[in-house]
Amino acid sequence: LLAEPAASAIMETVALHRNRATIVLDPNVRPALIKDRDDYLKRLDAWLTLSHLVKISSQDIRWLYPERSFADIAQEYLAKGVKALIITQGEKGASLYRIGHEVLFVPSVRVEVVDTVGAGDTFTGTLMRKLLDFGPIESLAEDDWREVIREASLAAAFNCARAGANPPTTQELSHFKTLNSQ
């Protein structure tokens, strides 16, 4: 989404399918690749208007909006049409923001961190896979969201417990989930 012509082609494809699929956005901000911060923020605004669910890290938020609170950013994102915003905060956990609902906080699992590379992508990938079990995000109950976010957090924690971007297999995640439910 940072370079043309891919950025425009992706936006057109997403816009074409927005009413037929849940659009998940993880901006995955990489400051070293962003040549113009103001231009990036304008592009992000356009991406948000097409997104149903946004997952963003607290680290990305601090770079994008250094003086703003999570609640303020959540209000802005939700006003743009985002149905659910998840802000991940590493070892602290993740917060879910939705219109008309209290903030739902899900704590993370403590692990001996070996490497954080791939943790955000593991979270987002697991989040999307787990959402397939529940149906439209607008109809998820609080306990469903808690389960979805907890599993995504578990997968990200597992990834951090070993070197590289190395997400768990379904079997590894199931075993890790059992160990951490006691």
Side-chain angles (χ1 to χ4, degrees), residues 117-129:
V117 172
D121 293 332
T122 298
F123 184 101
T124 304
T126 304
L127 177 75
M128 291 188 301
R129 186 204 45 82

Side-chain angles (χ1 to χ4, degrees), residues 29 31 47 50 83 125 132 158 162:
V29 176
W47 304 334
L50 294 176
K83 303 291 182 207
L132 293 173
F158 189 97
R162 54 189 182 182

Side-chain angles (χ1 to χ4, degrees), residues 7 27-28 36 42 48 56 69-72 75 93 101 120 122 134 141 155 162 172 180-181:
N28 207 4
D36 181 337
K42 285 178 193 167
L48 292 171
I56 188 167
S69 71
F70 291 169
D72 182 43
Q75 184 178 5
H101 297 273
T122 298
F134 290 96
R162 54 189 182 182
E172 289 171 328
N180 286 283
S181 66

Side-chain angles (χ1 to χ4, degrees), residues 23-105:
I23 306 301
V24 178
L25 172 67
D26 177 356
N28 207 4
V29 176
R30 295 293 175 257
L33 300 177
I34 298 171
K35 295 177 177 125
D36 181 337
R37 187 174 171 280
D38 290 333
D39 179 62
Y40 182 86
L41 287 168
K42 285 178 193 167
R43 287 176 181 255
L44 178 58
D45 278 345
W47 304 334
L48 292 171
T49 64
L50 294 176
S51 302
H52 299 106
L53 171 61
V54 175
K55 177 269 176 193
I56 188 167
S57 73
S58 57
Q59 184 178 12
D60 290 348
I61 287 174
R62 281 192 294 276
W63 188 84
L64 291 168
Y65 318 103
E67 303 298 321
R68 297 180 58 197
S69 71
F70 291 169
D72 182 43
I73 293 159
Q75 184 178 5
E76 178 183 324
Y77 280 27
L78 296 172
K80 292 180 186 301
V82 172
K83 303 291 182 207
L85 169 66
I86 298 172
I87 300 176
T88 58
Q89 301 167 63
E91 71 281 350
K92 293 178 184 173
S95 299
L96 169 68
Y97 296 83
R98 296 168 291 158
I99 291 176
H101 297 273
E102 293 293 317
V103 177
L104 174 64
F105 177 76

